Amino acid sequence: MENLKITVFQGYLFWENTDKNLQNITLRLSGGIREKTDLIILPEMFTTGFTMNAAELAEPMNGKTMQWMEKTAKQYDCVITGSIIIKEGSKYYNRLIWMRPDGTHEHYDKRHLFALGNEHNTYTAGTKKLFVELNGWKICSVICYDLRFPVWLRNIEENAYDLLIVVANWPERRAAHWRTLIPARAVENQSYVIAVNRVGHDGNEVYHSGDSTCIDPNGKVVYYKRDEEDLYTFSIIGDEVEKVRTALPFLKDADDFEINI
């Protein structure tokens, strides 16, 4: 695998204001990206904040945000990812989009819906994981609450990954859980984990401290930022995953299991 250049945006999200969020992200990217990057990662529901107002804010798969993502991926010649509210038929999804610079895309619908916030009463849960490749890296992408469920995220041979991406609107009052679970997922799966959160208060006066981070397969911190908006580019090392798995071949001793959806 080649080294992978990652740009993360720990952003303040304007509550339920798609146009203002897209304008802000566009501005931050234009002023902050000064070198070629392979992947831009945005938070969960990056156009609206974590809202249950799906009926008013949901977009179709050919809506303005998808068009913006396609344009932005082409402009920076990289993949861009993050989750948005999508409507298909009569159903709403908290959907992560994986947009390539050629306009092709894939998606992941959040599997574990946050019942404490009534997300399960508004959105439809996904049933399939998303695995993609980028510059030789096998990547799995999930959304926020999924982080709490290690069985769903377990690195297994038939769907092995080298990098786990978590996009989130994770509140500060449970930040200690966030900071514990991210390195746990990295160490147990012997992969990099990049987790991108938002900052600031949302429309429900819930504060988000960010704490966006990248952890390597040994549990070491590559990147960490708290309490302020940040756009930052860093590299993850191509041979680090294989080096750890060769020196400490723990994954081959993992238990077999199956998930019933």
Side-chain angles (χ1 to χ4, degrees), residues 17-256:
N17 193 329
T18 298
D19 290 339
K20 196 167 184 178
N21 282 309
L22 292 180
Q23 290 168 7
N24 182 52
I25 297 168
T26 299
L27 178 64
R28 300 302 183 190
L29 294 178
S30 66
I33 295 185
R34 299 182 176 86
E35 57 185 310
K36 177 68 173 71
T37 190
D38 299 305
L39 174 62
I40 298 170
I41 307 175
L42 306 175
E44 177 185 22
M45 291 192 183
F46 65 85
T47 59
T48 60
F50 185 67
T51 175
M52 300 304 106
N53 191 13
E56 291 189 18
L57 297 167
E59 300 182 35
M61 283 295 284
N62 61 350
K64 69 169 65 175
T65 301
M66 288 293 289
Q67 294 175 33
W68 177 88
M69 292 183 79
E70 181 176 354
K71 177 183 176 182
T72 303
K74 182 178 180 180
Q75 177 182 351
Y76 292 100
D77 189 29
C78 69
V79 172
I80 185 167
T81 192
S83 93
I84 59 177
I85 303 171
I86 290 292
K87 182 178 183 181
E88 286 189 342
S90 61
K91 295 180 178 180
Y92 302 105
Y93 297 91
N94 184 349
R95 177 167 291 178
L96 179 141
I97 306 296
W98 183 267
M99 179 65 74
R100 301 182 182 91
D102 64 0
T104 62
H105 55 82
E106 298 181 58
H107 69 263
Y108 165 75
D109 294 327
K110 189 176 183 180
R111 170 62 188 159
H112 299 93
L113 301 178
F114 187 54
L116 287 175
N118 290 316
E119 188 179 14
H120 65 305
N121 290 326
T122 302
Y123 299 94
T124 298
T127 59
K128 296 181 179 179
K129 298 178 186 178
L130 173 64
F131 296 96
V132 293
E133 289 199 16
L134 180 61
N135 295 357
W137 290 75
K138 297 177 181 178
I139 301 172
C140 177
S141 297
V142 296
I143 303 173
C144 202
Y145 194 43
D146 287 324
L147 180 63
R148 290 189 179 274
F149 301 92
V151 174
W152 183 247
L153 303 184
R154 189 62 175 161
N155 207 341
I156 55 179
E157 186 174 356
E158 55 266 38
N159 281 311
Y161 61 81
D162 310 303
L163 167 62
L164 175 66
I165 295 172
V166 185
V167 302
N169 273 215
W170 194 287
E172 189 274 338
R173 59 194 176 206
R174 289 185 290 277
H177 299 189
W178 169 265
R179 293 192 299 267
T180 301
L181 293 170
I182 294 166
R185 298 294 88 88
V187 171
E188 70 193 8
N189 292 300
Q190 295 188 311
S191 73
Y192 279 90
V193 177
I194 300 176
V196 179
N197 196 17
R198 62 157 296 173
V199 290
H201 290 88
D202 66 16
N204 298 310
E205 289 303 310
V206 175
Y207 180 68
H208 302 75
S209 55
D211 299 280
S212 296
T213 189
C214 173
I215 304 293
D216 80 3
N218 267 314
K220 296 179 181 178
V221 177
V222 176
Y223 163 80
Y224 175 78
K225 193 71 173 182
R226 179 180 173 88
D227 283 327
E228 61 187 37
E229 195 169 77
D230 190 43
L231 186 128
Y232 189 74
T233 300
F234 57 89
S235 292
I236 55 177
I237 309 305
D239 63 358
E240 189 66 24
V241 175
E242 188 59 35
K243 188 186 302 182
V244 170
R245 292 177 183 174
T246 300
L248 304 168
F250 300 146
L251 289 176
K252 70 181 182 63
D253 296 324
D255 300 308
D256 293 328

